[in-house]
Amino acid sequence: MSTVLITGASRGIGRELVRQYAASGWQVIAVARNSADLQAISPLITVHTLDVTDRPAVHALAATLRGQAIDVLIANAGIYGSTPGGLGAIDYASWEAVLRTNVLAPASFAEAFADNLAASERRLFAVISSGMGSIAETSGGCYAYRSSKAAVNMVVRNLALDWQPRGIRAVALCPGWVKTDMGGPHAELTPEQSVTGLRAVIETIDDARSGRSFSWNGREVPW
């Protein structure tokens, strides 16, 4: 049985990732700050409650799961920060919080769970990034969120290179504009549509596609 670990698992895209992977027969390790009713989705789900920015807690979880092969680790947890966040209205404390959640947390999971990934058959680390992290396609504004996603894209690229000897792949994924608390009610995609696409892209990631960024519909997102 394949195993996936998903952070930010309690709502939105994360919750739908949990639901779909469990429905497909995967063993799911769900990580969230508020995980009260995740276990009720499926008996294939194991729930761990923690804040992804709490690095000691992340490494404690890794110690608990030592020896457990993890085929796919999806670093989904993320925050947008205060709005509007443009020039003249930058909330620097919020920006720092965004960087801790969107960049440092995925990096800490990569460090903590590298051995678990290496022990599996699929060996894939995926970060839910955003097209808003693309330097080539930026339209300005949203300094905190855009910079965090650009930074985590670099983390992904470096992981892909540094992990080559261990056969672990890394990829950045853009879920599209999704009807979640962050995306709002007027977004283009439902969580089900986005996650269905993301899972299809995940299945295509091999050595040649590692270290790159892809949207939910398969389009490669330029750095």
Side-chain angles (χ1 to χ4, degrees):
M1 180 184 295
S2 298
T3 299
V4 59
L5 187 153
I6 300 163
T7 71
S10 64
R11 58 194 178 119
I13 293 168
R15 187 179 184 86
E16 182 62 19
L17 282 163
V18 168
R19 189 193 69 79
Q20 287 198 25
Y21 273 108
S24 296
W26 285 55
Q27 179 178 344
V28 178
I29 302 168
V31 176
R33 285 184 300 175
N34 179 9
S35 53
D37 63 343
L38 280 170
Q39 190 69 67
I41 296 174
S42 168
L44 294 174
I45 300 168
T46 302
V47 180
H48 296 274
T49 304
L50 61 81
D51 186 327
V52 296
T53 65
D54 183 347
R55 285 191 290 280
V58 171
H59 284 271
L61 176 60
T64 298
L65 298 176
R66 185 176 290 117
Q68 165 74 63
I70 296 174
D71 291 273
V72 179
L73 194 160
I74 304 176
N76 165 73
I79 59 174
Y80 188 82
S82 64
T83 56
L87 287 176
I90 293 175
D91 181 338
Y92 287 94
S94 175
W95 194 342
E96 290 173 358
V98 170
L99 292 174
R100 283 194 296 272
T101 300
N102 295 3
V103 185
L104 302 185
S108 72
F109 270 84
E111 279 196 312
F113 290 93
D115 288 344
N116 304 77
L117 289 166
S120 74
E121 292 185 5
R122 303 196 182 206
R123 301 187 305 278
L124 177 64
F125 181 83
V127 173
I128 302 301
S129 183
S130 171
M132 290 179 72
S134 170
I135 293 173
E137 295 184 346
T138 190
S139 57
C142 306
Y143 283 72
Y145 189 73
R146 287 187 189 277
S147 66
S148 75
K149 293 305 185 181
V152 82
N153 286 349
M154 179 59 83
V155 171
V156 166
R157 180 64 178 154
N158 284 349
L159 287 172
L161 294 171
D162 292 341
W163 276 343
Q164 278 181 349
R166 305 191 72 181
I168 307 173
R169 296 127 178 172
V171 67
L173 299 173
C174 171
W177 186 20
V178 187
K179 291 182 174 71
T180 61
D181 290 345
M182 184 184 297
H186 303 298
E188 298 171 344
L189 302 170
T190 65
E192 182 177 6
Q193 290 169 321
S194 174
V195 169
T196 297
L198 291 171
R199 290 183 61 221
V201 172
I202 283 171
E203 290 301 311
T204 72
I205 304 304
D206 55 14
D207 290 344
R209 290 164 72 84
S210 181
R212 294 157 67 181
S213 179
F214 298 95
S215 185
W216 70 278
N217 59 9
R219 181 182 79 93
E220 184 160 8
V221 181
W223 296 123

